[in-house]
Amino acid sequence: MERSILYPADAFRQARESREPDCADLIIESLEALGIEYVFGVPGGAIEPLYNALARSGRRGGPQAVVARNESGAAYMADGYARETGKIGVCIATSGPGATNLITGVACAFDNSVPMLVITGQPPIHSFGKGALQESSCTGVNTVGMFRHCTRYNSLVSHADQLPTKLFNALMQAQRAPMGPSHLSLPVDILRQTMAMQPDAATFADLLNRPSAMIDVAATESLSRLLKAAERPVWLIGDGCGEAIPALMQLVQLTDGHFITTPDGKGFVNPRHPRFAGVFGFGGHSTARELLASRPDLVIALGTGFGEFNSGGWSAQLLNSRLVHVDTCDDKLMRSQTARLHVRGNIRSVCEQLLSLLAPSGEAVNVLPFQHPQVAKLAYESMVDKPEALRDTGSPVKPQRLIGTLGERCPPHTRFVADAGNSAAWSVHYLAPHDRRGAARAATSPPAGRDQRTSRSSWLRVTMDFAPMGWAIGSAIGIALGNPRCPVVCLTGDGSYLMNGQEITVAAELGLPVLYVVLNDGALGMVKHGQRLAGAEPIGFQLPTVDYAAIAAAMGIPGHVIRSPQDLDALDFNAILSRKGPTLLDVRIDGEEVPPINVRMKTLGTA
């Protein structure tokens, strides 16, 4: 009989898996009960027990560890995963610099209301105040204090018995309106401790997963009366409207209205819809501004907090007595003091209640016939600033032509994510992919169930209120992991790619179908054009000439340098976005084209 050889590591693993679960196991089992599949982070000594628990979890099919190249990238990945799935994004880091590297990504999630659980490590409690390596407690570089300003819940777990209560509170606060990150800091010795009584993870998850459908009934009834009297209502769709879109589109038609979106709400709608009047705010369209300037008798804004980019720089055309503001969150409702009416409640529930009040006897709303695809395409092109640039054949590539081509050529179930700066401005203004939810679906439409909608997922993701460069590079990975049925296109600038481009190796390691499109103009483009538009000194915007396709090739990733529209047209996007792994396009764009950034210039006082 052969005797199997048990190596020390195997023996250690068997011994660990036969022992009582510790605090780290409780955390991972709770995430598993919530249906969370991935935990994003970078390992380190102070967080080692959590990675041990993830290793055990991965072997049994539970949450798996995704190792980022920098902790900020881990936070961006968790952000993308949360936006796509509607679940809580989870990111973890060791103590000291691991924790501080997370902060920018966590602050981005905080300002954009993305639910996230952030876990950081600490040295053992007995070493606090003794100068332990990377100590970040109140006696060191106080990371708990730092996270206080960008989290909904923030606490150090100093005793194992505190963990169930604090973990529950952290997860609950992350999902309550306003949603956002919760932070727990755990000393390594606490993570290793067992507890006398382990809470039941299924019961724990059941309490957290109960959705709230509460609405202000009286305010909703008041809104229905205003809508019955309105002759020209305009609906403004924000980032919080994802799950309400079917009901919202019926309301638009039932009230004979038109709709516009915020920049981050555009991805929830068909931009070629016959009642769509464009994007209002950063990167937006003159048609949306003109519609509001025409003094409609009622403007119903849903799911937006009226930040700078979403409100057109706090435009008086929007923030006035014709406005009705609908949101789940009092914090956001308080930003529209001039509104005629505030309606607090779950946006989908409010819309469904309005339908029941406005449609007699529950009568179904007839579906508005969709326009012929070519008619719809021309209608959208009539909204944009320079429609002729969409068909430009010259070199270097016009950014408008690049964005237009991506919308036309990528599969209709593609997710787009646009980075901070000019990438977002170009995408918000020009990107208009084929409709994926029309009555008549083309042969290229995704199979049934492939383009699933959650309360957060959309075909275009941009970040508004806190916009770090390089966010989209990590976010694209989280989106791809959260929804493997849909390919992802990440639009990023060369400046952003130089900050966070190393995260592309995570997509390669995991075999994710992400197309990274680098808008390469050898400059920090928004800085350059902002200085020019403001008449400021031209300083600090230059970037070196870099072959990003060659860098990708050195990482084992296919890359293409695109110098002309003909190079772009020669690509097989279906093949690129169906391969198991990322591809990079280094697109040499015309850096003299001015992006639609007037909203930003106006609020800076330099328009």
Side-chain angles (χ1 to χ4, degrees):
M1 181 182 296
E2 291 187 8
R3 177 182 296 177
S4 61
I5 299 174
L6 197 64
Y7 292 98
D10 298 322
F12 175 75
R13 187 177 72 194
Q14 286 187 8
R16 296 282 291 181
E17 294 189 354
S18 64
R19 77 210 190 329
E20 289 292 318
D22 57 24
C23 287
D25 290 309
L26 168 63
I27 293 170
I28 301 305
E29 287 170 9
S30 300
L31 299 181
E32 184 175 1
L34 290 170
I36 294 167
E37 305 143 298
Y38 300 101
V39 174
F40 305 92
V42 178
I47 205 78
E48 180 185 276
L50 209 49
Y51 275 91
N52 290 336
L54 281 167
R56 294 188 285 272
S57 165
R59 287 194 289 272
R60 68 170 185 269
Q64 301 177 47
V66 174
V67 179
R69 306 308 178 234
N70 184 281
E71 288 86 356
S72 63
Y76 299 149
M77 292 174 200
D79 179 310
Y81 177 83
R83 291 174 190 253
E84 181 61 33
T85 64
K87 301 174 184 177
I88 293 176
V90 182
C91 56
I92 62 178
T94 193
S95 59
T100 58
N101 282 346
L102 278 176
I103 287 178
T104 298
V106 174
C108 179
F110 177 81
D111 229 19
N112 288 279
S113 300
V114 178
M116 187 181 288
L117 177 65
V118 183
I119 298 175
T120 60
Q122 293 281 1
I125 285 181
H126 66 77
S127 69
F128 282 13
K130 297 180 180 178
L133 178 68
Q134 298 180 341
E135 185 189 340
S136 46
S137 70
C138 60
T139 55
V141 176
N142 188 353
T143 54
V144 178
M146 294 180 187
F147 278 105
R148 182 177 300 122
H149 305 285
C150 58
T151 52
R152 304 296 179 194
Y153 183 89
N154 179 47
S155 185
L156 172 73
V157 179
S158 59
H159 297 79
D161 290 343
Q162 296 175 350
L163 181 60
T165 299
K166 289 191 173 182
L167 178 60
F168 180 83
N169 286 341
L171 291 166
M172 182 66 79
Q173 290 288 347
Q175 296 179 98
R176 285 182 57 185
M179 292 188 289
S182 290
H183 172 235
L184 293 177
S185 185
L186 289 103
V188 66
D189 51 333
I190 300 298
L191 282 170
R192 293 193 182 109
Q193 285 187 28
T194 59
M195 288 180 294
M197 184 178 293
Q198 293 267 359
D200 181 69
T203 303
F204 185 86
D206 181 59
L207 288 169
L208 286 165
N209 281 330
R210 291 176 186 169
S212 172
M214 295 179 62
I215 63 171
D216 184 335
V217 175
T220 305
E221 290 174 347
S222 295
L223 175 55
S224 72
R225 290 191 290 271
L226 290 174
L227 286 167
K228 287 176 182 177
E231 296 182 358
R232 295 190 304 125
V234 172
W235 299 81
L236 173 64
I237 296 173
D239 186 41
C241 293
E243 63 181 359
I245 292 300
L248 255 172
M249 291 297 99
Q250 291 184 66
L251 284 169
V252 170
Q253 188 167 331
L254 186 63
T255 59
D256 196 26
H258 288 81
F259 70 93
I260 57 179
T261 74
T262 61
D264 52 1
K266 180 183 178 183
F268 291 121
V269 306
N270 170 16
R272 301 183 183 188
H273 191 287
R275 292 188 183 269
F276 179 57
V279 174
F280 183 78
F282 179 74
H285 303 100
S286 60
T287 50
R289 297 191 297 273
E290 290 163 3
L291 181 61
L292 292 180
S294 70
R295 299 182 64 83
D297 43 8
L298 200 64
V299 178
I300 310 96
L302 308 97
T304 181
F306 295 113
E308 176 185 327
F309 279 7
N310 285 334
S311 66
W314 307 286
S315 170
Q317 291 181 350
L318 177 61
L319 295 168
N320 56 51
S321 60
R322 296 188 297 275
L323 177 69
V324 174
H325 191 183
V326 182
D327 207 277
T328 58
C329 174
D330 286 334
D331 286 6
K332 292 183 178 179
L333 292 174
M334 287 189 292
R335 298 180 189 173
S336 57
Q337 302 93 330
T338 60
R340 177 185 306 186
L341 177 67
H342 293 89
V343 182
R344 185 181 186 277
N346 177 280
I347 295 171
R348 177 178 175 180
S349 298
V350 170
C351 291
E352 290 173 347
Q353 180 68 14
L354 286 172
L355 282 173
S356 70
L357 293 168
L358 295 172
S361 305
E363 182 180 316
V365 180
N366 293 326
V367 177
L368 191 71
F370 278 73
Q371 300 176 98
H372 185 279
Q374 189 62 23
V375 174
K377 176 183 177 183
L378 293 174
Y380 185 81
E381 289 183 4
S382 70
M383 295 183 190
V384 304
D385 289 347
K386 293 181 65 176
E388 68 279 3
L390 292 165
R391 293 173 289 277
D392 191 277
T393 58
S395 299
V397 180
K398 300 287 186 187
Q400 300 94 324
R401 169 66 190 270
L402 169 64
I403 301 300
T405 299
L406 290 171
E408 291 290 328
R409 299 280 306 283
C410 290
H413 56 294
T414 301
R415 300 293 199 237
F416 294 89
V417 55
D419 228 327
N422 287 355
S423 300
W426 291 124
S427 300
V428 166
H429 195 86
Y430 286 96
L431 189 60
H434 291 296
D435 176 42
R436 53 192 44 72
R437 290 182 294 277
R441 290 177 177 268
T444 55
S445 293
R450 192 168 190 178
D451 190 19
Q452 295 182 351
R453 176 185 298 280
T454 73
S455 62
R456 304 292 297 183
S457 67
S458 74
W459 61 262
L460 173 62
R461 274 292 169 203
V462 291
T463 184
M464 291 284 100
D465 294 338
F466 197 92
M469 293 173 63
W471 160 83
I473 297 169
S475 183
I477 292 169
I479 292 170
L481 284 169
N483 189 353
R485 295 173 295 276
C486 295
V488 181
V489 173
C490 172
L491 291 143
T492 188
D494 45 350
S496 292
Y497 197 80
L498 287 171
M499 285 189 179
N500 289 288
Q502 72 280 356
E503 302 298 345
I504 195 175
T505 61
V506 180
E509 179 185 3
L510 300 176
L512 300 176
V514 182
L515 174 60
Y516 286 92
V517 181
V518 181
L519 280 67
N520 186 355
D521 60 355
L524 298 173
M526 193 168 175
V527 174
K528 178 180 75 174
H529 287 289
Q531 290 171 350
R532 289 180 178 179
L533 291 170
E537 293 286 348
I539 182 173
F541 63 81
Q542 301 93 339
L543 292 175
T545 301
V546 177
D547 187 334
Y548 296 100
I551 294 176
M555 297 173 172
I557 297 166
H560 308 270
V561 176
I562 306 299
R563 294 186 171 87
S564 68
Q566 293 72 35
D567 293 340
L568 192 63
D569 293 342
L571 295 172
D572 185 340
F573 284 96
N574 283 307
I576 287 171
L577 289 169
S578 61
R579 68 176 297 272
K580 293 188 179 299
T583 304
L584 183 138
L585 303 185
D586 177 352
V587 185
R588 308 298 169 85
I589 64 166
D590 184 349
E592 296 305 305
E593 286 293 308
V594 181
I597 58 174
N598 287 336
V599 166
R600 181 61 176 153
M601 304 307 299
K602 172 187 171 184
T603 54
L604 287 172
T606 53

